[in-house]
Amino acid sequence: MVKFVSYTGKVLPDDLTAKLREPIERETQLLTKEICKTMFENQRLAKQLDRPSCKEFGPLIVSIDAHGNNLFEQNKIKFNEKKDAALAEILPQVGFIK
């Protein structure tokens, strides 16, 4: 199991790897194309260097106060509201994200 989890943290399935290649080939905006190339290169290096491709995960902290309020859930609602507003503004401008 350890080997499986280690492998899946470094290597994407073939269908996802193919999807990362698509915008590199068809994207016309230079910045977007470079972002896609960087994502693809990061995946290649993760496998080559035997390191996880994503290291942004920190410890999960759940906080429940003395009144039983789950602060994690409250913050998640606020985050999702902000995320949805940001996506509504950004997605129409970015052609490769569906």
Side-chain angles (χ1 to χ4, degrees):
M1 185 57 134
V2 171
K3 288 181 181 179
F4 172 75
V5 171
S6 175
Y7 181 80
T8 59
K10 294 172 232 161
V11 181
L12 290 176
D14 292 340
D15 60 336
L16 289 178
T17 301
K19 281 291 184 188
L20 279 176
R21 279 191 190 110
E22 286 180 14
I24 293 172
E25 296 167 3
R26 74 168 188 258
E27 189 58 50
T28 57
Q29 293 183 352
L30 182 60
L31 179 58
T32 305
K33 192 177 204 88
E34 286 304 312
I35 290 169
C36 294
K37 284 181 184 178
T38 300
M39 291 169 60
F40 191 79
E41 179 67 3
N42 286 344
Q43 287 306 128
R44 186 189 69 75
L45 289 171
K47 183 177 181 181
Q48 177 186 329
L49 299 173
D50 195 29
R51 293 194 175 103
S53 60
C54 182
K55 298 180 210 164
E56 285 80 27
F57 298 106
L60 177 61
I61 299 171
V62 177
S63 176
I64 300 175
D65 69 12
H67 301 288
N69 298 314
N70 184 332
L71 302 178
F72 176 77
E73 286 299 321
Q74 292 172 3
N75 287 332
K76 187 169 83 171
I77 291 168
K78 291 176 189 175
F79 168 81
N80 283 329
E81 289 170 353
K82 290 179 182 179
K83 178 193 73 169
D84 292 342
L87 285 175
E89 182 179 337
I90 293 169
L91 289 179
Q93 302 173 34
V94 183
F96 71 94
I97 296 176
K98 299 289 180 210

